[in-house]
Amino acid sequence: MTARLIRGRTLTFERMPQALDDHSAYRYESDGALLFIDGLIQEAGSYETVRAAAPEDVEEIDHRPHLILPGFIDTHLHFPQMQVIGSYAANLLEWLNTYTFPEECRFVESAHAARIATHFFDEMVRHGTTTAVAYCSVHKASADAFFAEALRRDMRMIAGKVMMDRNAPQGLLDTPELGYDETRAVIEEWHGKGRNHVAITPRFAITSTPEQMAAASALAREFPNLHIQTHLSENHDEIAFTGSLYPDAVDYLDVYARYDLLGRKTLFGHCIHLSERERQVMSESGSVAVHCPTSNLFLGSGLFPLKAIARGEHPVRVSVASDIGGGSSYSMLRTMDEAYKIQQLLGERLNPFESAYHLTRGNAEAVSLVDRIGTLEVGTDADVIVLDMAATPAMALKAEVVTSLADELFLLQTMGDDRAIVETYVAGRPAKSALPGS
Ligand code: GUN
Ligand code: ZN
């Protein structure tokens, strides 16, 4: 049994804050502590009470004056796109065809996939992301490399072998049968091993034939507890192309609905240009719209109405994500800053508590894992981060005039990145300080 106690200011959410003064939405301890035993949070509360409950010989790490939060959760990214970040393209389809598909072809090589997987998990830990929902490439070897590395690091990850059988280079295509068989094999080999979760992952309607959609549908029926992830309504040309490929569907979402792919465990990346009908169907099915702000701005895809879509008569469940490598930062702080700016452009307010909620409990609820991650509740996974609002000289200068927790969260979001992550605890172990070169 390894027992570790960390001390600092702790913040965890119980629900979405409705306003800046909605203090009952969160719990904050100005001298707080967490006790980690065997990868779980065993005690949480004031330092005094946690210390009293801890074993005599507990290892104690004092992080004061820093802020302790649940680890960040990134609900959509592509692990084979680490070397695609910053590719100069006019729009989504040009970016996919010119840079992204050729790059993903390299993941047929297990050694390449393993090398990038190592870098991927290093970046997650460096940036304080303890759970990610990832697309691998079409190659089973890429999923094997991803899950093997996640298992080695004992991280809670959700990922899938991409299914795609048309409209891409030959080296990036499976078939309906192969996509089905290899996804099944990935599920059998990896789902539930360590903290791995396998997601059924048809890339998007453009790269899957109706036969492959039917295969994805069969998998979803056979494995109803698995997550499903795909892309939806990101770009106008993409939407028009999809309409031409599935002429019987009434809209883009209807393509997926016809194959029974909607539901509370389905994560739709982007969802920028949804019609009123699509919003209603998303809402009724409990499907999640995943907002990827740095990607949407980088590719010029559009301004996602995060606030508007989550309220009203047909509220849609939402989450936020980096979408590496259409997205340009691994940092969920940078991601949230761009989400904030998009809401500003749309005339909406996103308050700092709301933002911190989204990055932790909100994203955990979106992936239906709030019983395990996203809070500092006793009994959940000890995936926790420590943040320093004065991590850089410029941040330290601004921090001199910060007088409230809301100000501190807003400073972290506006100026912070991986440098603001002092430590990342994965299953109760300090993982960032253990990275090579740190
Ligand atoms: N739509 C289909 N594939 C992709 C991808 O890799 N990135 C983004 N941003 N959109 C997609
Ligand atoms: Zn994506």
Side-chain angles (χ1 to χ4, degrees):
M1 181 179 87
T2 45
R4 189 171 280 121
L5 182 153
I6 66 168
R7 183 177 190 178
R9 294 180 298 115
T10 55
L11 175 63
T12 184
F13 290 89
E14 299 192 351
R15 59 174 171 77
M16 164 87 127
Q18 300 301 323
L20 263 183
D21 61 358
D22 185 6
H23 303 300
S24 66
Y26 61 86
R27 282 205 315 278
Y28 172 69
E29 291 277 356
S30 56
D31 186 10
L34 301 170
L35 175 65
F36 303 150
I37 295 185
D38 293 339
L40 301 180
I41 299 176
Q42 182 78 21
E43 297 283 345
S46 71
Y47 171 72
E48 208 172 302
T49 57
V50 174
R51 178 66 236 190
E56 263 313 295
D57 60 346
V58 70
E59 177 191 349
E60 187 170 324
I61 304 167
D62 191 349
H63 284 299
R64 289 177 297 167
H66 300 323
L67 184 65
I68 297 173
L69 284 179
F72 292 146
I73 300 163
D74 187 341
T75 57
H76 179 125
L77 46 54
H78 299 256
F79 116 82
Q81 295 179 13
M82 293 185 80
Q83 294 181 300
V84 178
I85 299 172
S87 294
Y88 185 66
N91 55 53
L92 170 68
L93 298 181
E94 184 187 308
W95 176 84
L96 283 171
N97 290 317
T98 311
Y99 305 101
T100 308
F101 289 161
E103 175 63 23
E104 289 192 15
C105 288
R106 298 172 68 199
F107 286 74
V108 67
E109 295 288 345
S110 300
H112 179 67
R115 171 173 177 255
I116 299 298
T118 303
H119 284 290
F120 176 82
F121 287 99
D122 284 355
E123 288 313 318
M124 292 298 99
V125 167
R126 205 187 316 282
H127 288 82
T129 297
T130 49
T131 291
V133 187
Y135 288 65
C136 301
S137 72
V138 72
H139 316 98
K140 179 172 179 291
S142 73
D144 292 339
F146 183 95
F147 284 122
E149 191 62 25
L151 182 65
R152 205 177 68 67
R153 302 194 191 213
D154 194 13
M155 294 185 79
R156 190 172 291 285
M157 289 284 149
I158 305 169
K161 178 210 107 74
V162 162
M163 302 170 76
M164 52 193 295
D165 68 345
R166 66 171 169 186
N167 290 319
Q170 197 55 42
L172 215 51
L173 299 181
D174 54 13
T175 63
E177 297 72 27
L178 194 59
Y180 174 89
D181 290 346
E182 290 192 339
T183 300
R184 253 201 103 105
V186 171
I187 294 166
E188 277 155 20
E189 284 166 44
W190 293 111
H191 187 70
K193 201 177 236 187
R195 296 200 282 159
N196 283 331
H197 301 248
V198 174
I200 299 164
T201 309
R203 185 179 201 123
F204 65 159
I206 289 178
T207 49
S208 286
T209 59
E211 293 72 27
Q212 179 159 78
M213 284 296 187
S217 185
L219 286 165
R221 248 191 332 275
E222 286 163 55
F223 301 97
N225 294 326
L226 294 198
H227 293 90
I228 298 169
Q229 58 179 345
T230 189
H231 295 86
L232 173 66
S233 201
E234 178 176 3
N235 163 289
H236 293 297
D237 291 339
E238 171 215 18
I239 297 166
F241 191 14
T242 302
S244 73
L245 293 170
Y246 287 93
D248 294 340
V250 302
D251 50 35
Y252 196 162
L253 183 63
D254 191 44
V255 176
Y256 300 123
R258 282 166 182 247
Y259 295 97
D260 289 327
L261 294 173
L262 277 52
R264 293 190 64 80
K265 294 197 92 172
T266 302
L267 303 167
F268 287 108
H270 306 292
C271 299
I272 302 168
H273 310 288
L274 296 183
S275 67
E276 205 40 56
R277 194 205 81 88
E278 287 173 306
R279 285 190 192 196
Q280 182 171 345
V281 176
M282 288 281 293
S283 177
E284 286 165 359
S285 63
S287 304
V288 177
V290 183
H291 179 31
C292 306
T294 71
S295 172
N296 297 166
L297 294 172
F298 180 78
L299 293 172
S301 302
L303 304 177
F304 176 75
L306 180 74
K307 295 279 290 191
I309 208 170
R311 66 171 178 243
E313 206 185 334
H314 306 295
V316 176
R317 296 170 71 211
V318 295
S319 69
V320 288
S322 69
D323 191 31
I324 294 296
S328 48
S329 175
Y330 293 94
S331 168
M332 293 308 289
L333 295 170
R334 303 286 358 100
T335 300
M336 212 61 226
D337 186 40
E338 299 303 290
Y340 171 82
K341 292 172 190 169
I342 289 175
Q343 293 316 293
Q344 287 287 83
L345 285 172
L346 293 171
E348 302 272 8
R349 306 301 308 279
L350 194 56
N351 84 56
F353 287 113
E354 211 176 337
S355 297
Y357 162 84
H358 275 304
L359 297 181
T360 56
R361 186 181 186 118
N363 275 359
E365 286 182 355
V367 298
S368 305
L369 283 174
V370 77
D371 60 329
R372 300 270 24 106
I373 56 172
T375 71
L376 302 179
E377 296 295 329
V378 168
T380 65
D381 297 356
D383 294 340
V384 169
I385 55 176
V386 182
L387 295 113
D388 177 9
M389 72 164 151
T392 68
M395 290 175 79
L397 190 63
K398 166 73 192 187
E400 288 176 10
V401 297
V402 163
T403 56
S404 68
L405 181 58
D407 284 354
E408 178 179 5
L409 293 172
F410 204 47
L411 166 54
L412 283 163
Q413 172 185 301
T414 308
M415 299 181 79
D417 54 27
D418 54 314
R419 294 169 294 181
I421 310 295
V422 174
E423 186 58 280
T424 302
Y425 289 92
V426 172
R429 284 186 298 272
K432 179 160 177 172
S433 55
L435 287 177
S438 73

